[in-house]
Amino acid sequence: MGLDPIPHLPQSGFQLDTPATLVDPGDDVRLCEVVVLPGTASDVYYVPRIETLLSGHGEELIVHAARPGSDTEAIMDPGSSVPCTRAGEAFGEELSEVLTTSDRYTDELFPEGTGKVFHGGQKLALEVHFVNESTEQVPARAKLSFHLADAERVQRTTRSANFANLTIYTPPRGHSSHVGECLVREEMIVSELVRRTQRFGTTFKVWFAGGARDGELAWESPNRSDNRFEPTELLHLMPGEGFRFECSYYNSSGRELRYGVSASDETCMLQAKYSVPDDLDGDDEDTAEGCLLFDVDSDGVARK
């Protein structure tokens, strides 16, 4: 039930492993698991880099940090592993997203001057998605490696903004494209864009929305394997500006394709990794950016 080692052992840092949960042949499972950072609450960890690794048949990993002292943290039992749709429903909503990846191995190196801040004993909720297409049981496991640095290295907290279009629909054996638009409320310095589509996703496009760059193409991804974009220069957004994004699909199955969390469903999400000027908190729910799009305007664009 072992898991390959993460390529870069931290010179200063620590690693966390989840227990092995067996997935039966043909099963499509999403689990929410709890791991705890080492140390006590007086220990402060400045993290400029996180590596993650999923065992075979892993489809997605989403890592959340519980707010210390919250009701959510109180009900998260260390080592627990429960079937779930998402971590917020399993444990509570007082969670901040640390990272999301659909790759088996991810090396998340935050831009210079930014990173994450954790405390000893803090609990993390891991959403893991596995699809076992083999004829034997397989272990569902995840490993995380936290690289530590001095406080001077992490001057601003890296945050995540999720822009999700839930209006997507593709008929059997059909093609479709869906456009969503989200504007932001605060000044943002964007260091990375990530596409989140599943097996039926084809092209994915992102344009600027609002401001002087409205309609300018920021990134085009031809397929799911090209799922991350790091601009050569950080993208600066002001309040009232944002992104317009298009998810396209080919539904090769004989059933209708809608938004969902299993491998037989689809997603349409743009994730922006960003920081806020002069910020070392990044945990304030009142300033969290993101949107869920449920309705399509007359021009065919889904907006909040």
Side-chain angles (χ1 to χ4, degrees), residues 184-200:
V184 303
R185 301 187 303 274
E186 63 180 340
E187 183 179 358
M188 292 171 52
I189 304 169
V190 178
S191 59
E192 184 180 46
L193 297 176
V194 181
R195 71 174 274 177
R196 288 182 61 188
T197 57
Q198 300 192 141
R199 299 182 176 190
F200 300 96

Side-chain angles (χ1 to χ4, degrees), residues 150-217:
D150 295 333
E152 290 75 17
R153 167 63 175 82
V154 182
Q155 298 296 316
R156 300 190 308 276
T157 300
T158 299
R159 306 183 183 191
S160 297
N162 294 319
F163 309 125
N165 185 355
L166 280 70
T167 70
I168 61 174
Y169 169 79
T170 313
R173 315 294 181 190
H175 296 263
S176 71
S177 295
H178 307 269
V179 180
E181 180 180 289
C182 295
L183 306 180
V184 303
R185 301 187 303 274
E186 63 180 340
E187 183 179 358
M188 292 171 52
I189 304 169
V190 178
S191 59
E192 184 180 46
L193 297 176
V194 181
R195 71 174 274 177
R196 288 182 61 188
T197 57
Q198 300 192 141
R199 299 182 176 190
F200 300 96
T202 55
T203 58
F204 187 95
K205 298 180 181 180
V206 183
W207 301 267
F208 290 101
R213 294 171 295 180
D214 184 72
E216 178 183 328
L217 184 68

